[in-house]
Amino acid sequence: MRVSTQMIFQSGLTNILGSQDSLVKLRDQVSTQQRILQPSDDPTGAGTVLRLDEQLGISDQFRNNGSNLKSRLGLAESTLSSMTDTLGTTRTLLIQANNGANSDEDRKALADQLIGLRDQLLDAMNTQDANGDYIFSGNEGGTAPYQIVNGRYEYQGDQGKQMIQVASEVKLNANFPGFELFDNLSPVFSATGAMTAGGGTVTTDIADEGQFESFYRGNYDPNTPAGNTFSFTTAAGAPDTYQVTDSGGNVLASGNYVPGEPINFNGLNVTLDGAAGASADVTLDPPKRDNILNVLTDYAGLLTDPTRTTDQRQADAQYAQNIAVQTYNSVVGGQAQIGGRVNVIENLDNSSQASDIIIKSNRADIAEVDIGEAVSKLAQQQTIMQAAYSGFQMVNSLTLFNYVK
């Protein structure tokens, strides 16, 4: 076959350009350390790499969400932790305030301390984060959760939830509405006694909270106040006796009466100290439920009221202590919830990082170049390129004129 000059040049150019293309591709692979420089290099592999990159991006976003949520929970946990300390001090002072040996000056000093603790609690309950949002206002971050309305501290936030997705199937609530933590306490049940005949006094105190609460819930009628009163009547005899009747005159309990010894009635101790023949009414009080801010405010006022009797002071202290204990337990429960959420975030983060290591390894196997192999191929291609140049030069110089010259 006759080989024309045109064919010689075209063949040489094709070989050189092919070698250059291969050389450039190998050079780019070595410099980027990526095997797939464009989808056409490996369409199937490129699609897999895109899916793995998307998976890594989503995983990274979940971890960022978890990190931000963890930071926010950390502030709430720190605030609640300081509140437990303040509430612990408050409970100690309330017990101290219920000491009958306190003088008026002592009670005044204790009341001042309790108001100071109330202000500390208020400051914690209205804590703001770095963005100025109140952390206990639910979704009303721009509103201080506890404000004075008509002379009482009232919750002004909402109870909305702000769910943060920290994994494909896991969402955690970032909110801690103050109402749930500081207001949604169990109601306090109590009863008040009053003499109706005879001499002496009558006092009441709860001997068994569970039994009394059960009785209270089964008998308290907010629509019929008369039905909430029970009569304790004592009669002289050998021995003296008592009986308890309801508003309809039905005898609910009876037994021997000893002045000064409590009569236990459905978890409630009723003590009359007068001689037999006296009687008293004991009325179930309306259930009381309030936040610790109002309770401390009220109690500090009652503590400095010189007209309060000993029995009234004990009842005042018992109610305040009950709310303080409930608030303390609620705050501790809030800390436990935060701890649980943080544990979930940390476990998910660890699991996500372990999963990402596997995904990145798979991605590297598909997309990244074996640098040793690539460098070897690059050197080989350089040799081929040089051979192409040399071959073209040698063939180009073989002309008939040169041969006959």
Side-chain angles (χ1 to χ4, degrees):
M1 182 183 73
R2 178 179 178 277
V3 178
S4 67
T5 303
Q6 178 66 26
M7 292 174 63
I8 292 173
F9 273 91
Q10 186 62 45
S11 174
L13 180 61
T14 300
N15 291 335
I16 291 173
L17 290 177
S19 295
Q20 284 180 334
D21 183 65
S22 297
L23 188 65
V24 169
K25 183 176 181 179
L26 285 169
R27 183 204 62 190
D28 290 346
Q29 285 181 335
V30 170
S31 61
T32 62
Q33 299 186 26
Q34 296 297 311
R35 185 180 68 84
I36 302 175
L37 300 175
Q38 51 190 359
S40 59
D41 293 339
D42 182 354
T44 302
T48 302
V49 168
L50 286 175
R51 286 195 296 274
L52 293 177
D53 285 344
E54 181 184 17
Q55 195 170 347
L56 288 171
I58 292 173
S59 179
D60 191 51
Q61 185 58 55
F62 283 150
R63 282 201 299 275
N64 287 337
N65 289 352
S67 178
N68 293 335
L69 177 57
K70 188 177 175 182
S71 175
R72 182 168 179 172
L73 293 176
L75 177 59
E77 198 282 333
S78 174
T79 303
L80 294 181
S81 178
S82 71
M83 288 187 69
T84 58
D85 295 339
T86 305
L87 287 167
T89 305
T90 301
R91 293 172 62 185
T92 301
L93 279 183
L94 289 173
I95 294 172
Q96 185 180 350
N98 196 29
N99 189 337
N102 289 329
S103 65
D104 290 343
E105 289 74 16
D106 293 335
R107 285 192 284 269
K108 175 66 169 58
L110 288 166
D112 289 343
Q113 292 182 64
L114 289 171
I115 291 299
L117 292 170
R118 178 206 63 187
D119 293 341
Q120 289 183 39
L121 292 171
L122 173 64
D123 185 66
M125 291 153 77
N126 284 343
T127 295
Q128 296 171 275
D129 62 18
N131 297 321
D133 292 333
Y134 294 93
I135 64 174
F136 295 123
S137 281
N139 285 333
E140 298 292 332
T143 302
Y146 282 91
Q147 302 177 31
I148 294 179
V149 179
N150 297 324
R152 308 291 291 174
Y153 289 98
E154 292 187 3
Y155 181 65
Q156 299 298 303
D158 64 15
Q159 299 184 54
K161 293 183 178 179
Q162 192 176 72
M163 306 305 294
I164 305 296
Q165 190 165 5
V166 293
S168 58
E169 302 296 335
V170 181
K171 294 180 181 178
L172 295 176
N173 185 10
N175 281 351
F176 276 92
F179 183 84
E180 293 182 5
L181 286 171
F182 314 124
D183 269 87
N184 193 26
L185 308 176
S186 299
V188 175
F189 304 124
S190 61
T192 303
M195 297 299 297
T196 56
T201 61
V202 58
T203 60
T204 61
D205 65 272
I206 297 173
D208 187 323
E209 290 190 3
Q211 186 182 12
F212 177 67
E213 181 177 339
S214 177
F215 172 75
Y216 185 101
R217 292 184 182 279
N219 291 272
Y220 182 75
D221 185 352
N223 300 316
T224 311
N228 299 324
T229 297
F230 300 86
S231 297
F232 287 68
T233 304
T234 61
D240 296 341
T241 59
Y242 75 89
Q243 67 177 16
V244 183
T245 57
D246 61 17
S247 59
N250 300 306
V251 178
L252 303 180
S254 62
N256 295 334
Y257 169 69
V258 178
E261 290 191 1
I263 299 170
N264 187 280
F265 177 66
N266 289 303
L268 184 68
N269 276 341
V270 179
T271 305
L272 290 84
D273 59 3
S279 61
D281 281 349
V282 173
T283 302
L284 301 178
D285 299 323
K288 290 191 285 187
R289 175 161 36 199
D290 209 343
N291 62 58
I292 189 67
L293 303 176
N294 290 325
V295 169
L296 291 180
T297 302
D298 294 342
Y299 182 68
L302 294 172
L303 193 59
T304 54
D305 183 351
T307 66
R308 303 295 286 177
T309 65
T310 300
D311 293 338
Q312 287 174 327
R313 291 193 185 285
Q314 290 182 348
D316 298 340
Q318 186 174 13
Y319 176 65
Q321 289 176 17
N322 191 317
I323 297 298
V325 169
Q326 285 199 50
T327 306
Y328 179 89
N329 291 338
S330 180
V331 169
V332 171
Q335 287 180 279
Q337 288 184 45
I338 291 174
R341 295 179 194 179
V342 170
N343 282 340
V344 170
I345 294 171
E346 290 179 345
N347 289 336
L348 288 172
D349 184 72
N350 292 335
S351 175
S352 173
Q353 291 193 33
S355 177
D356 281 3
I357 291 175
I358 297 174
I359 294 174
K360 288 177 180 178
S361 176
N362 292 338
R363 186 191 184 287
D365 291 341
I366 298 171
E368 294 184 11
V369 71
D370 183 332
I371 193 66
E373 180 182 358
V375 169
S376 175
K377 286 184 177 179
L378 181 61
Q380 182 183 14
Q381 192 60 40
Q382 285 176 328
T383 301
I384 294 172
M385 184 72 183
Q386 289 172 355
Y389 280 135
S390 299
F392 177 74
Q393 181 65 30
M394 182 176 66
V395 173
N396 186 41
S397 62
L398 293 178
T399 67
L400 180 62
F401 296 106
N402 287 334
Y403 179 76
V404 299
K405 182 168 61 176

